[in-house]
Amino acid sequence: MYGSIVLATLLGASSALAAPAWPQVRSELVNTVGKEAVSDYFNLLAQKTDAAKLLSFAPSCDVSKAQMPTLSASPLPTPAAGLVVKHVAVGRGTQNYTCDTSTPTAAPVANGAVATLFNASCIAASYPDLLHLLPQLALQFDLPASAASASVIDADAKMGPTNLLVSGKHFFTNATTPFFNLDTTRYRIGEAPCSKLNATNAPADAPKGRGGEGAVPWLRLSANPGATGNLQQVYRVETAGGSAPATCAGMPAQFEVQYAAEYWFFAMP
C-alpha cells in the first residue's frame, strides 16, 4: 500500500494523452517511436504499482544508496573515493551547435547546452529501472518557452506525465564551462561550475532523438572552485538524442538538437 502511494506521488498516473501541464506531447511521435517509449513507461509503472500494493512499508528514498549505471565497454572512471550521491536529476533540453554555412562539409561545433533538471532522486534510490526510461520518455514532450532561458526556473513545472518537479537548471557560462544551478525556491542543493574530465560514447542502442539523432556521450565532470553544497563531481549518463549531424550541409549557422539524460551529482558527505 505505502509503496503504491510513493509511486503515485513521484511518477503520477495521468495518461500521456491527457495534455499534462509540462510539456506537451507531440502527436506525431505518439504514433511512432514515441508511442513505444510512453507505453513502456506506463506498463512498467503499472507493474511497479501493483507490486507496491503488497508492501507494508514505503520504499527507501535514501539517494546515497542509489547505484549509478555504468557501461560494460569503455566505462567512465568511478567517482572519487569518499563521495556519495547527493542528487539525481533527469535533464531535458537542447544541445546547441554552430555551423560555418560557407563550408557544407565542415563538422558542426558544439556551443553549449540548456536543460531543465527534474528531481529523480527517490526514483533512483527505489526504482532504477523506471529511472532509466525517463530520458527517452522526456524526449516525447515539448519544451515550454521558459526552458530556453538559463535564468528562468519554474519550480512548479513537472516533467511530462510524471510528478517529478524541477530541481534546477543546466547551462553554460562560457564555451567550456557547464554550470548546474540546483538552488530553487523548493530545493537548496548547491551550484557547480564544472570542467570535463572524461567522456565515452553512449551505447549503440541508446535512444535516438526526435529526428533520429544519436545519443550524446556520457560524461564525467569535476566541480570547479566556487561550487557550493559540497558538490564535487557530476556524471551525465543514459543519454537520449542530442548529437549533431556529421556535416553542416543544409544546416543554419546556429541550431539546437533536443536531448535528455540522467545527471548524477556526487558530494562530500
Side-chain angles (χ1 to χ4, degrees), residues 70-86:
T70 60
L71 293 172
S72 56
S74 302
L76 292 169
T78 58
L83 300 185
V84 298
V85 182
K86 182 174 184 178

Side-chain angles (χ1 to χ4, degrees), residues 13-120:
S14 62
S15 166
L17 302 181
W22 190 101
Q24 297 299 306
V25 70
R26 294 186 64 189
S27 59
E28 67 269 27
L29 289 176
V30 171
N31 293 322
T32 56
V33 66
K35 180 177 181 180
E36 294 181 4
V38 174
S39 176
D40 288 347
Y41 165 78
F42 279 105
N43 285 339
L44 184 56
L45 177 59
Q47 294 173 26
K48 296 292 185 183
T49 301
D50 286 343
K53 292 175 181 177
L54 303 177
L55 296 178
S56 59
F57 57 90
S60 169
C61 198
D62 183 358
V63 70
S64 68
K65 301 296 193 296
Q67 297 295 312
M68 183 174 64
T70 60
L71 293 172
S72 56
S74 302
L76 292 169
T78 58
L83 300 185
V84 298
V85 182
K86 182 174 184 178
H87 184 64
V88 179
V90 174
R92 172 69 175 90
T94 62
Q95 295 287 316
N96 304 330
Y97 300 93
T98 60
C99 264
D100 179 356
T101 55
S102 66
T103 311
T105 57
V109 176
N111 189 35
V114 176
T116 302
L117 304 175
F118 295 90
N119 186 354

Side-chain angles (χ1 to χ4, degrees), residues 139-200:
L139 271 183
Q140 314 314 318
F141 296 84
D142 283 331
L143 291 162
S146 62
S149 170
S151 59
V152 176
I153 299 178
D154 182 359
D156 293 323
K158 298 176 182 178
M159 195 193 85
T162 77
N163 281 337
L164 300 183
L165 293 168
V166 172
S167 58
K169 208 71 180 258
H170 165 46
F171 53 93
F172 276 62
T173 57
N174 57 44
T176 60
T177 306
F179 191 92
F180 298 88
N181 177 8
L182 298 173
D183 287 339
T184 70
T185 55
R186 182 174 283 106
Y187 305 106
R188 305 297 294 179
I189 299 169
E191 296 182 337
C194 293
S195 298
K196 184 168 72 173
L197 293 177
N198 308 93
T200 190

